[in-house]
Amino acid sequence: MDHPKIAHCVETLCQRGCKEVSRLILALERNEPVAEADGLPAAERQAVLDELKAIMAVYDERGSCGPA
């Protein structure tokens, strides 16, 4: 697993803001295309999704961000 590639993908996606990340999480869960994750093997794509969910859990606890 290419951890630097996963970290870069997560950082790039997070720069879009929490509402967009919430939307991207839904897209990844549905196996819809996400440009930054295109070309990643399934395990790395899942790692990106897991990392985004962990990051967004902080916002969910606060109730300060949700899907767009």
Side-chain angles (χ1 to χ4, degrees):
M1 198 169 303
D2 189 340
H3 295 286
K5 187 187 290 186
I6 293 166
H8 177 72
C9 184
V10 169
E11 286 179 36
T12 301
L13 294 173
C14 285
Q15 289 176 3
R16 293 181 169 194
C18 73
K19 288 187 185 215
E20 181 67 8
V21 170
S22 293
R23 189 191 67 74
L24 292 168
I25 287 170
L26 291 174
L28 287 166
E29 288 176 333
R30 296 176 183 151
N31 290 315
E32 296 172 357
V34 172
E36 291 80 1
D38 282 350
L40 291 178
E44 291 179 1
R45 197 173 155 91
Q46 184 63 48
V48 168
L49 176 58
D50 293 343
E51 185 67 25
L52 290 175
K53 285 181 171 182
I55 291 166
M56 292 306 292
V58 173
Y59 293 99
D60 291 341
E61 289 174 8
R62 293 180 181 170
S64 61
C65 183

